[in-house]
C-alpha cells in the first residue's frame, strides 16, 4: 500500500513522472474541452477525481497529462472509450463514485493560522481540534487519524525536514519509505507496521507551512490514502485570481452538470464572460483615469505580491478587477475593485519583499539592443554560451538563457523551436502562443518548467529560455518569469524599465493624492508665471469657429479605421474627416477612446489607399518625421511635413507612455503620425512643451520639445478594441520627398464640432 501512496505523491508533485514522446492521441481536444469550462467547474472535477481515487491530480484548474490519464481511467473503468474528454455521463459517474467518501468526510475549508493558505479538513470524521504552538491539531475520537497544520515564519523548511528525518531515524521500528527535500517543499513518508506517519512542508506566505498526516491503515474506514492525496492537493492548490477552494455541494455540482451538458463547450474563460460584476464599470473608469505608467505600476505590484494579473497591461479587465478585489478582501476591506491610497500603500508593502529578493538589474542581450531584467539578488552565476549568455543559480533550480537568433523571421524561429522540443521524448508541451510580434512555448520536464519566448527586435529575433524547478522554487518562479518577460517586451516595445523604483512609486502615490490634478486632455494648463512651462494641445484658431476643434488622424486599416489622439475628439457633437488634398468632409464615428493613453479610434466609410504599419521599438537619436494640419487658417491647408530626431525614450515627468521628438509640431498636429526613416509608424503626436516668456530658469529657451504616444501603446489600444494592424521592421531609409508622400497619403484632417 505504501508504494501506491508514494507513487501518487510523486506524481502529484511531478516528481518522477513518466516520460512521454509527445501528447497522446486526443490530448489536444481534451485540453480544449476542459479549458472551455469555467474555473469553478475545472476545480470541482479535480476534487471529485481525487475523492473517487483517480489520483494523482493537482488542484490548479489547468489541464495536464495526469488529469488526462485520470479521466481516461474513469472512462475505461466503466466500459467507455477513453477519450480524456469529460462528458455529462462521466460527470454523473464521477459524482456517484465520490459521493460516499465526500459524505463521510464532510469537507470544510479552514485557513491555517498566520497564513492565507486554505486547506480541506474532514469534519465528518469526528475530530477534536486543539490549538498547538503555531497551529492546530485534529485528532479522531474514534479513529487513528491525526492531522496537524502549523505555520512558522522563524524556522526554515530545512529545520522541519531535518527534525522529521531525525525522528524517523531514532525510532527502531519506524521504516523510512521515501523522502524528498527542495528549497520550497519537502515530504517524509514513514511507517511503523500499519501506521503511516507522513510530513509535508511547503514554503508559503513568508514561512514554513507544515502538515503531518498520521493514520492506521489496518483501522482505516475513511479511505486514508485518498484523503491524504486530497488534503495535500488542497494545501498545494495554486488557484487563479477569482477562484477559491471549496468542497463540492449540491449547487456547485448542479452548475458543473449544466455546463458539461451544454451544447456549446467552446465558451471563453468564465472571467471574461457574462455580465460585469457590480461595481465593475466604476472601477474601470477610476483605473482608466490614471496615466499609463501608473496603471502598469499597479499591475506589476499586484503580480509581484501574488494577486495577478498574469499579464502586464494598461487596460482594465475582469482579471484586474478580481485581483484588486481579492487584495481588498484579504485585508478585511470591502472588495470594490477600486484601488485607493490605502490599498496602494498595502500593495507596495506586500510587493516590496519580493522585489528586494529578486534584486533585478538590466542586462543587454548579446548582439541586440534589447535589455532584460535579471534577478541578481538570487545569486545567479553568469556563463557565456555559443550565442549569448546563461544566468543560473548554483543549484540549477533557476536557469535563464538569452541569445539572438541568426534568422530574422519569427515564424521560422517558432517552427524550429517546436522541432527541437519535439525531438526530445521527455519534454511535453503544455501551452503555446504565437503572434506577429512574439511567441511562447511552455513545456514540462518532470518537475521543471521550461518556457521559450521569442520576440521581434528591429533587426531580428531574440529568444529567451526560462527554466526552473517547481519543487525547488523558493523564489516564486511564475511571478518572476512574468516580470522578466514583461521587461523584455518593454524593451522590445522601446519602453522604459517597468519595474517600480522610488521615483516611479512616488509618482504613483502622487496620482492618488487628493491634490493630484487630472491630466490635461484639452487646452493648455494655466500659466503660473513669466517662465512657466506648460503642456499644449490643439486649440481652435482665431479663424475657426469657437466650437470647432481640429487635429490630425491616419488610416490604420484599409477599411477606413482611423487612429487619432483622444483629446482631439473629446466632447464632440460630431466628428468629420477629410483626406489630404480634399476639401470634402466625411462623417466619422468614435469607436473607442482612452484618456490615459490619449488615443481614439474612428470609423469612416472611406477606403484607404495607404495605411500605417506599426514598428514596435525605436532608438534614441534616430531620425523621425511628423505630418499634420497645424494652425488651420494660418499655415498650409494641405498639411505640413516636419523632420527631427528621437530625443528621449521617456515623456514628460518620465512617462513611459511617450517618446520625446524634436520634429516641430503645432496646434492641430495632435493625432498625426510620427514615422521612422522607412515610413513605419513609431508614434502618435500627443503634445508639446513651450516656454511662456523668454527663457526657462536655466536661461535656455525650450524649442521643439514635443511628445508622441509610442507605437507599442497604440498597438495595445488597437488589440484591446479588436483591430488588426500591420507591423514592420526598420528598412532602408527613404528620400525625404518620398517619405513626405508616404505620410501625407495616409493622413487625414480631423474636425470636432461642439468641443
Amino acid at each position: 500500500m505504501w508504494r501506491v501512496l508514494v507513487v501518487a505523491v510523486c506524481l502529484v508533485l511531478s516528481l518522477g513522472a513518466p516520460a512521454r514522446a509527445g501528447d497522446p492521441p486526443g490530448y489536444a481536444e481534451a485540453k480544449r474541452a476542459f479549458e472551455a469550462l469555467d474555473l469553478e467547474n475545472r476545480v470541482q472535477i479535480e476534487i471529485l477525481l481525487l475523492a473517487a481515487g483517480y489520483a494523482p491530480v493537482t488542484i490548479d484548474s489547468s489541464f495536464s497529462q495526469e488529469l488526462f490519464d485520470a479521466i481516461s481511467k474513469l472512462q475505461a473503468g466503466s466500459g467507455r472509450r477513453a477519450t480524456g474528454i469529460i462528458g455529462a455521463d462521466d460527470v454523473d459517474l464521477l459524482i456517484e463514485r465520490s459521493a460516499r467518501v465526500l459524505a463521510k468526510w464532510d469537507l470544510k475549508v479552514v485557513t491555517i493560522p498566520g497564513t492565507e493558505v486554505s486547506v480541506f479538513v474532514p469534519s465528518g470524521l469526528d475530530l477534536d481540534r486543539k490549538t498547538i504552538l503555531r497551529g492546530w491539531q485534529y485528532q479522531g475520537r474514534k479513529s487513528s487519524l491525526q492531522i496537524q497544520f502549523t505555520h512558522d515564519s522563524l524556522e526554515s523548511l530545512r529545520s522541519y525536514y531535518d527534525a522529521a528525518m531525525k525522528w524517523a531515524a531514532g525510532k527502531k521500528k519506524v521504516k523510512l519509505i521515501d523522502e524528498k527535500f527542495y528549497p520550497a517543499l519537502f515530504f517524509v513518508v514513514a511507517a511503523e507496521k500499519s501506521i503511516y506517519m507522513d510530513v509535508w512542508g511547503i514554503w508559503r506566505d513568508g514561512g514554513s507551512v507544515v502538515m503531518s498526516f498520521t493514520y492506521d491503515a489496518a483501522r482505516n474506514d475513511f479511505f486514508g490514502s485518498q484523503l491524504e492525496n486530497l488534503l495535500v492537493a488542497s494545501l498545494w492548490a495554486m488557484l487563479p485570481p477569482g477562484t477559491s477552494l471549496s468542497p463540492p455541494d449540491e449547487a456547485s455540482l448542479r452548475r458543473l452538470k449544466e455546463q458539461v451538458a451544454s451544447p456549446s463547450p467552446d465558451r471563453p474563460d468564465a472571467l471574461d464572460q457574462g455580465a460585469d460584476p457590480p461595481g465593475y464599470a466604476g472601477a474601470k473608469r477610476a483605473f482608466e483615469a490614471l496615466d499609463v505608467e501608473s496603471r502598469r505600476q499597479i499591475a506589476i505590484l499586484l503580480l509581484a505580491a501574488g494577486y495577478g494579473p498574469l499579464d502586464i497591461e494598461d487596460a482594465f479587465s475582469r482579471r484586474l478587477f478580481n485581483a484588486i478585489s481579492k487584495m481588498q478582501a484579504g485585508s478585511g476591506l470591502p472588495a470594490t475593485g477600486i484601488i485607493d491610497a490605502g490599498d496602494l500603500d498595502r500593495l507596495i508593502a506586500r510587493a516590496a519583499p519580493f522585489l528586494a529578493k529578486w534584486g533585478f538589474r538590466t542586462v543587454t542581450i548579446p548582439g541586440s539592443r534589447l535589455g532584460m531584467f535579471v534577478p541578481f539578488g538570487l545569486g545567479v552565476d553568469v556563463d557565456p554560451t555559443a550565442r549569448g549568455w546563461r544566468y543560473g543559480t548554483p543549484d540549477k533550480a533557476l536557469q535563464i538563457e538569452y541569445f539572438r537568433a541568426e534568422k530574422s523571421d519569427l515564424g521560422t524561429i517558432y517552427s524550429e523551436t517546436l522541432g527541437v522540443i519535439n525531438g526530445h521524448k521527455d519534454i511535453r508541451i503544455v501551452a503555446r502562443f504565437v503572434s506577429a510580434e512574439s511567441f511562447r512555448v511552455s513545456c514540462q520536464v518532470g518537475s521543471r518548467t521550461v518556457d521559450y519566448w521569442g520576440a521581434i527586435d528591429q533587426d531580428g529575433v531574440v529568444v529567451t529560455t526560462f527554466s526552473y524547478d517547481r519543487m525547488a522554487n523558493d523564489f516564486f518562479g511564475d511571478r518572476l518569469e512574468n516580470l522578466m518577460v514583461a521587461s523584455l517586451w518593454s524593451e522590445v516595445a522601446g519602453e522604459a524599465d517597468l519595474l517600480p523604483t522610488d521615483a516611479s512609486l512616488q509618482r504613483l502615490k502622487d496620482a492618488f493624492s487628493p491634490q493630484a490634478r487630472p491630466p490635461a486632455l484639452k487646452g493648455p494648463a494655466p500659466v503660473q508665471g513669466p517662465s512657466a512651462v506648460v503642456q499644449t494641445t490643439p486649440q481652435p484658431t482665431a479663424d475657426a469657429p469657437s466650437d470647432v476643434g481640429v487635429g490630425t488622424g491616419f488610416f490604420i486599416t484599409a477599411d477606413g479605421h482611423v487612429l487619432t489622439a483622444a483629446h482631439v475628439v473629446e466632447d464632440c457633437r460630431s466628428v468629420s474627416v477629410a483626406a489630404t488634398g480634399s476639401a470634402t468632409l466625411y462623417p466619422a464615428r468614435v469607436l473607442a477612446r482612452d484618456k490615459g493613453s490619449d488615443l481614439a479610434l474612428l470609423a469612416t466609410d472611406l477606403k484607404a489607399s495607404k495605411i500605417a504599419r506599426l514598428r514596435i521599438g525605436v532608438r534614441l537619436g534616430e531620425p523621425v518625421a511628423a505630418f499634420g494640419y497645424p494652425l488651420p487658417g494660418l499655415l498650409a491647408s494641405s498639411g505640413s511635413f516636419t523632420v527631427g530626431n528621437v530625443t528621449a525614450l521617456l515623456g514628460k515627468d518620465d512617462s513611459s507612455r511617450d517618446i520625446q521628438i524634436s520634429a516641430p509640431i503645432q496646434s492641430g498636429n495632435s493625432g498625426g503620425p510620427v514615422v521612422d526613416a522607412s515610413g513605419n509608424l513609431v508614434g502618435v503626436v500627443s503634445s508639446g512643451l513651450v516656454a511662456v516668456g523668454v527663457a526657462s530658469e536655466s536661461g535656455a529657451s525650450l524649442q521643439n520639445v514635443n511628445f508622441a504616444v509610442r507605437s507599442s501603446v497604440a498597438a495595445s489600444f488597437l488589440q484591446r478594441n479588436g483591430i488588426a494592424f500591420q507591423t514592420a521592421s526598420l528598412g532602408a531609409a527613404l528620400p525625404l520627398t518620398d517619405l513626405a508622400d508616404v505620410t501625407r497619403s495616409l493622413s487625414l484632417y480631423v474636425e470636432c464640432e461642439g468641443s
Side-chain angles (χ1 to χ4, degrees), residues 189-435:
V189 178
E192 181 180 354
K193 295 184 178 179
S194 63
I195 300 176
Y196 287 85
M197 295 159 283
D198 304 335
V199 183
W200 293 81
I202 296 174
W203 184 263
R204 293 280 293 273
D205 289 355
S208 300
V209 180
V210 179
M211 181 186 85
S212 64
F213 189 95
T214 303
Y215 72 101
D216 188 344
R219 296 192 298 121
N220 169 24
D221 63 347
F222 48 82
F223 306 92
S225 177
Q226 294 169 226
L227 177 61
E228 181 173 12
N229 278 327
L230 182 56
L231 265 61
V232 171
S234 72
L235 178 69
W236 187 244
M238 302 296 287
L239 298 176
T243 58
S244 58
L245 190 68
S246 60
D249 57 24
E250 184 177 347
S252 67
L253 293 178
R254 183 177 65 252
R255 290 192 295 270
L256 171 61
K257 294 170 71 172
E258 288 174 353
Q259 188 178 28
V260 172
S262 169
S264 302
D266 294 328
R267 57 177 53 81
D269 190 280
L271 288 177
D272 300 318
Q273 69 175 350
D276 290 335
Y280 181 85
K284 184 174 187 290
R285 285 193 300 271
F287 185 77
E288 294 184 348
L290 298 169
D291 61 83
V292 170
E293 181 191 44
S294 295
R295 303 184 207 177
R296 292 175 177 173
Q297 292 277 284
I298 290 171
I300 292 167
L301 291 170
L302 284 166
L303 182 55
Y307 295 108
L310 298 179
D311 298 317
I312 296 175
E313 54 189 356
D314 56 345
F316 199 69
S317 65
R318 193 77 67 85
R319 291 187 182 277
L320 188 58
F321 178 82
N322 288 339
I324 296 171
S325 299
K326 182 179 179 181
M327 177 189 67
Q328 294 167 326
S331 301
L333 301 170
T336 64
I338 301 175
I339 195 166
D340 61 20
D343 296 324
L344 180 61
D345 288 340
R346 284 183 288 273
L347 181 57
I348 292 173
R350 291 173 183 175
F354 298 100
L355 295 173
K357 181 182 182 68
W358 293 326
F360 285 114
R361 296 206 309 266
T362 302
V363 300
T364 301
I365 297 175
S368 169
R369 305 182 185 94
L370 304 182
M372 188 170 184
F373 292 108
V374 173
F376 282 95
L378 299 181
V380 296
D381 297 322
V382 184
D383 297 307
T385 64
R387 294 184 290 177
W389 294 91
R390 181 184 295 116
Y391 300 83
T393 54
D395 61 359
K396 308 299 183 185
L398 172 67
Q399 289 187 312
I400 308 148
E401 184 175 347
Y402 312 114
F403 64 88
R404 182 177 180 75
E406 297 175 357
K407 299 177 181 179
S408 60
D409 179 65
L410 185 77
T412 299
I413 301 300
Y414 173 69
S415 299
E416 291 181 352
T417 301
L418 290 179
V420 171
I421 295 170
N422 290 330
H424 294 269
K425 64 180 182 179
D426 57 338
I427 300 179
R428 181 166 58 87
I429 297 175
V430 296
R432 66 183 71 173
F433 164 82
V434 63
S435 71

Side-chain angles (χ1 to χ4, degrees), residues 645-660:
N645 299 88
V646 177
T647 54
L649 295 177
L650 295 174
K652 186 175 180 289
D653 296 327
D654 285 342
S655 170
S656 62
R657 187 196 74 178
D658 299 336
I659 56 174
Q660 182 180 320

Side-chain angles (χ1 to χ4, degrees), residues 9-17 180 182 185 187 446-447 469 471:
V9 167
C10 292
L11 287 177
V12 167
L13 296 175
S14 302
L15 296 171
K180 294 289 183 183
Y182 298 92
L185 177 145
F187 68 86
S447 65
D469 191 332
M471 299 302 103

Side-chain angles (χ1 to χ4, degrees), residues 113-136:
T115 75
E116 294 182 0
V117 179
S118 298
V119 292
F120 286 134
V121 170
S123 65
L125 297 185
D126 196 19
L127 303 175
D128 283 329
R129 188 184 84 178
K130 67 177 182 179
T131 301
I132 60 175
L133 183 63
R134 303 186 186 93
W136 290 328

Side-chain angles (χ1 to χ4, degrees), residues 473-513:
N473 172 20
D474 64 344
F475 45 79
F476 299 84
D478 53 345
R479 306 186 201 178
L480 175 62
E481 180 178 10
N482 277 288
L483 280 175
M484 292 180 65
V485 171
S487 73
L488 174 65
W489 180 246
S490 168
E491 294 296 336
V492 169
E495 299 174 8
D497 291 348
L498 291 177
L499 283 173
T501 63
D502 290 343
S504 68
L505 291 179
Q506 187 57 55
R507 288 193 297 272
L508 179 58
K509 290 181 178 181
D510 291 343
F512 283 84
S513 68

